[in-house]
Amino acid sequence: WSSDVCSSDLHNGDKNQSKTITTEGCQMSYNKTKCDPELGQRVHQYLLEKGVETPRRDNGIDRKLKIEKIEEKFRDIMSIMGLNLEDDSLAETPKRVAKMYVNEIFWGLDYDAFPKCTTVENKMRYDEMVVERNVSVQSNCEHHFVVIDGKATVAYIPKDKVLGLSKINRVVEYFSKRPQIQERLTEQIYHALEFILGTSDIAVVIDAQHYCVKSRGVEDVGSSTVTSKLGGAFKNEPDLRNEFMAIVNK
């Protein structure tokens, strides 16, 4: 797997400065230079209209300052816990955590990083399912900020547009890279694709383990959570729904 970069102009501060989003260690090796901030803003507005946007606010803080502020606050947390920040193993931890939050696991809060979603006209008049299985989902629970780890299956029936296959993975990845609950993540993937493709004939299923269940609280290491969002023909036509679910469970 490779480490990829997404660069676009900063809207805050020096306009000549570039903004870089790195995803080192990411399970996917997609080219993060292929971003579409304009599409991202339109998807953002659509999610607001649908009532499924992540609770967030634009605080005007640029990427560099976010890292500095998070580093400072995390240093305070570690000190309160009684850790010795002069130890060579711990000294750089606040900076590491701050960079990880902003540049690696929560970069999906930034719509400037929304993936470019190339579509082509459905000249071939394809009218059956397109299914992308075993799409990696690596997110973090917004209640405890611990890992959500699983797989997604996404399907759609083309109407006027056909979407490049890797773009489905990128949309899943984008919305995973923010504090999440699985129900909202499922809805966001569905509605983003609904907006991009111009059809409601879309199905999304996520099966994931939550480390807020696995590593704390009830400490159940064997359970997983399954969520689904079916629209259009996938919801209204039992035979199509059954065909899709058979593929999911295959």
Side-chain angles (χ1 to χ4, degrees):
W1 300 317
S2 66
S3 172
D4 298 311
V5 175
C6 168
S7 299
S8 60
D9 291 335
L10 277 172
H11 292 290
N12 300 300
D14 184 356
K15 292 185 178 179
N16 293 322
Q17 185 179 4
S18 67
K19 175 169 61 179
T20 301
I21 297 168
T22 62
T23 55
E24 296 175 1
C26 178
Q27 281 208 334
M28 303 182 196
S29 57
Y30 299 122
N31 184 355
K32 299 299 187 298
T33 60
K34 296 183 178 179
C35 300
D36 191 339
E38 182 181 349
L39 176 60
Q41 286 303 319
R42 287 190 283 134
V43 168
H44 168 53
Q45 291 302 318
Y46 191 70
L47 297 187
L48 286 173
E49 292 171 10
K50 295 296 182 179
V52 297
E53 181 56 283
T54 300
R56 55 192 290 276
R57 61 181 60 173
D58 184 2
N59 55 20
I61 302 176
D62 65 26
R63 185 169 302 277
K64 181 180 178 183
L65 186 55
K66 283 180 181 178
I67 291 172
E68 290 174 358
K69 285 182 171 290
I70 293 170
E71 178 183 353
E72 176 186 347
K73 301 302 182 183
F74 203 80
R75 188 175 300 277
D76 289 343
I77 290 171
M78 293 179 67
S79 295
I80 291 167
M81 291 175 64
L83 293 168
N84 179 9
L85 285 159
E86 294 181 359
D87 185 272
D88 60 357
S89 180
L90 298 175
E92 296 298 315
T93 297
K95 181 177 291 185
R96 292 189 195 104
V97 170
K99 288 182 175 180
M100 177 185 71
Y101 275 9
V102 175
N103 291 336
E104 295 181 58
I105 65 175
F106 296 140
W107 60 264
L109 288 167
D110 184 356
Y111 276 100
D112 281 356
F114 193 83
K116 183 178 181 181
C117 292
T118 306
T119 60
V120 297
E121 182 183 349
N122 186 15
K123 303 183 189 74
M124 67 291 295
R125 298 178 183 176
Y126 185 84
D127 61 0
E128 297 290 339
M129 277 190 291
V130 177
V131 185
E132 192 79 358
R133 298 178 60 209
N134 297 322
V135 180
S136 293
V137 173
Q138 286 196 339
S139 190
N140 284 266
C141 162
E142 67 184 40
H143 298 149
H144 297 94
F145 274 41
V146 291
V147 170
I148 300 171
D149 186 20
K151 299 288 185 181
T153 301
V154 181
Y156 76 100
I157 299 173
K159 190 176 179 183
D160 299 323
K161 302 174 183 177
V162 175
L163 183 64
L165 288 179
S166 70
K167 309 308 184 288
I168 293 174
N169 304 63
R170 291 182 182 180
V171 168
V172 172
E173 180 190 28
Y174 175 79
F175 286 109
S176 298
K177 296 302 181 181
R178 54 172 67 183
Q180 278 288 11
I181 58 174
Q182 188 171 320
E183 296 88 341
R184 186 194 301 122
L185 173 59
T186 307
E187 292 275 351
Q188 289 175 341
I189 294 166
Y190 173 90
H191 285 293
L193 291 173
E194 180 183 47
F195 178 81
I196 292 164
L197 289 166
T199 179
S200 60
D201 294 337
I202 294 168
V204 180
V205 173
I206 297 175
D207 185 349
Q209 286 195 313
H210 291 239
Y211 279 66
C212 58
V213 173
K214 187 174 182 178
S215 66
R216 57 156 303 281
V218 70
E219 295 185 356
D220 187 334
V221 299
S223 67
S224 68
T225 300
V226 179
T227 52
S228 65
K229 174 70 174 181
L230 308 181
F234 287 100
K235 186 170 186 176
N236 299 322
E237 298 181 14
D239 288 346
L240 182 63
R241 181 189 186 108
N242 291 339
E243 181 183 355
F244 170 69
M245 294 309 297
I247 292 172
V248 171
N249 296 321
K250 188 173 181 180

